[in-house]
Amino acid sequence: MGVPSSGWLGEPESYWPWRTQRRSCRIWQTVSRWSEPRSGTSVGGTRRRGCTSSTTLPGRAGRGAFVPLQRVGIEKLACCDPAGLGLHMTHWSTRPLAQVAAERGIVPKISRSTVALILREADLQPHRWRYWKTPNLDAAFIKRAAQILWCYENAADLAKKHEVVLCLDEKPNIQVLERRRPTLPMRTSEIERREFEYIRHGTVNFMVVLVVHTGKMQGWCLEKNDGEHLRAVLPEVLHEHQHARRVHLIWDGGSSHIACEKRAWLRLHAPRVRTLVTPPHASWLNQAELLLRAFTERYLKRGGWKSRQQLIEHLDASWREYNERFAHPITWSWTRPKLRRWAARYAPRLC
């Protein structure tokens, strides 16, 4: 038995509803173009009747439009400081990059969208930035950081030997803000809306202590963030661990932590306490700083209080709830071998 014919062009029977070869090519081209992903600002317009969908593939600049030397020239221009070219701009964006590239003869003419695609392919982001603290990676830095990392690596084993590792940090000057109008709650298709204007009711200094091997915290509200008020709270901090053989206390190099009066008080009243100070510009080694970030996100962000005492009561209740719901040991993967490899790699560059 032969293959059934359509009867029109002597071709095998097809499920496509075209009648002629010419029409079949036109329909196939239309279907194939519709199957490609649409992109660009005209996507919404292509849905209208009579409009042709865009066939531009997202995320890649046309290689035929600009030769590799021109593309490299734009990438080098994006890596230059505008001040070095006699400009007063502090950073680049795609529009001035396109203008300057044409002015300097890198390309005859180029659009800002094409510049964006070229930078995307090169993984260059001149519009983004972040703060960076430059540590002094000398022998003293390595020694102090290694001592702290040793405590983190052995916190669980030290707890079995009745030694505890504590991290202490403060969040000073938390503003007590009250919104001038009530917050409008979330509704269907509407997010929560908060009044922009606020009333100030002073500030609160919040100090936290983190027990490393359990992840639990304890908080205190201080009248002032100084050595005198810190020494007044230290007996209560250490009383929770009075049965420990030794206490490893980690904090940053703040003035209230390294004051002579504080060190003299510890030698006299708490000789079993070993204090470890994070190196300069390396407060990220203090796990209590990470704890405060998580605590702030859950218990202080988007909050409003009508008085300073109301915020103090909120903080006192919040750290207890945090222990019940969220407390867990921080997964710390930064070890002493990684520290030494990192220092060996970046010390020549930073120095």
Side-chain angles (χ1 to χ4, degrees):
M1 180 181 295
V3 179
S5 174
S6 62
W8 297 318
L9 299 176
E11 297 175 346
E13 185 69 35
S14 173
Y15 292 101
W16 290 97
W18 48 67
R19 295 294 183 96
T20 64
Q21 181 69 24
R22 183 178 179 181
R23 178 172 175 80
S24 66
C25 295
R26 184 167 61 252
I27 294 177
W28 172 249
Q29 291 172 357
T30 305
V31 172
S32 65
R33 292 184 67 183
W34 280 354
S35 64
E36 295 175 354
R38 297 182 297 177
S39 64
T41 57
S42 60
V43 171
T46 61
R47 298 175 182 173
R48 296 194 300 271
R49 193 171 185 177
C51 295
T52 306
S53 62
S54 171
T55 58
T56 303
L57 295 178
R60 298 186 65 86
R63 293 188 178 275
F66 299 98
V67 299
L69 186 61
Q70 292 173 323
R71 301 166 69 90
V72 171
I74 293 174
E75 295 170 9
K76 288 185 176 180
L77 181 63
C79 295
C80 293
D81 190 347
L85 304 178
L87 302 174
H88 298 283
M89 294 182 296
T90 58
H91 60 282
W92 290 110
S93 60
T94 54
R95 187 185 298 275
L97 274 173
Q99 295 173 350
V100 175
E103 292 171 1
R104 299 181 69 86
I106 299 176
V107 292
K109 187 178 180 181
I110 190 171
S111 66
R112 57 182 299 187
S113 59
T114 305
V115 170
L117 293 175
I118 291 175
L119 296 180
R120 184 186 302 176
E121 278 201 347
D123 198 16
L124 295 175
Q125 305 177 57
H127 62 288
R128 298 186 62 193
W129 64 280
R130 66 182 178 93
Y131 281 115
W132 170 255
K133 286 185 177 181
T134 305
N136 186 16
L137 300 181
D138 54 8
F141 180 96
I142 301 298
K143 180 180 179 181
R144 290 167 66 173
Q147 290 175 342
I148 295 174
L149 295 179
W150 179 87
C151 292
Y152 293 158
E153 294 171 22
N154 299 277
D157 295 333
L158 290 174
K160 297 177 183 178
K161 301 176 182 178
H162 304 286
E163 297 187 24
V164 62
V165 181
L166 304 180
C167 294
L168 184 148
D169 197 16
E170 299 93 357
K171 188 175 181 64
N173 302 322
I174 303 174
Q175 296 192 60
V176 185
L177 304 179
E178 176 189 2
R179 299 294 159 179
R180 290 187 177 274
R181 297 291 184 273
T183 298
L184 300 180
M186 176 186 63
R187 296 179 180 178
T188 303
S189 74
E190 291 185 0
I191 63 174
E192 180 183 287
R193 288 168 291 175
R194 305 181 69 232
E195 174 64 41
F196 180 80
E197 295 186 351
Y198 51 81
I199 305 172
R200 298 176 183 267
H201 296 293
T203 60
V204 173
N205 302 289
F206 187 52
M207 187 191 81
V208 299
V209 171
L210 169 69
V211 183
V212 173
H213 71 278
T214 63
K216 292 191 175 182
M217 65 176 292
Q218 191 171 2
W220 292 265
C221 293
L222 308 180
E223 290 295 327
K224 294 182 179 180
N225 186 31
D226 56 13
E228 179 182 355
H229 290 81
L230 174 62
R231 290 194 300 272
V233 175
L234 277 179
E236 187 175 350
V237 173
L238 300 176
H239 179 74
E240 297 292 327
H241 311 282
Q242 57 182 329
H243 300 296
R245 294 176 55 250
R246 198 173 192 186
V247 176
H248 305 268
L249 182 59
I250 300 172
W251 52 26
D252 57 36
S255 58
S256 60
H257 301 161
I258 62 176
C260 297
E261 295 83 356
K262 186 273 306 173
R263 289 183 291 178
W265 186 92
L266 286 175
R267 285 195 299 267
L268 181 62
H269 298 90
R272 57 192 176 87
V273 175
R274 175 198 182 201
T275 58
L276 299 169
V277 182
T278 59
H281 304 302
S283 59
W284 41 269
L285 285 170
N286 187 354
Q287 289 190 7
E289 183 173 303
L290 305 180
L291 168 68
L292 279 173
R293 293 181 190 176
F295 182 87
T296 300
E297 186 69 23
R298 290 187 172 97
Y299 292 100
L300 293 178
K301 189 176 181 180
R302 294 164 60 176
W305 301 274
K306 296 182 178 180
S307 66
R308 186 172 180 273
Q309 183 60 33
Q310 187 179 23
L311 176 57
I312 293 175
E313 294 174 356
H314 170 77
L315 290 171
D316 188 57
S318 296
W319 69 261
R320 302 174 193 276
E321 180 181 291
Y322 177 90
N323 287 338
E324 296 177 358
R325 294 184 176 271
F326 305 108
H328 62 85
I330 295 178
T331 303
W332 190 269
S333 59
W334 189 249
T335 60
R336 287 170 292 167
K338 291 182 179 180
L339 167 70
R340 295 187 177 93
R341 289 195 297 267
W342 172 71
R345 179 179 180 183
Y346 288 102
R349 183 187 306 180
L350 297 178
C351 295

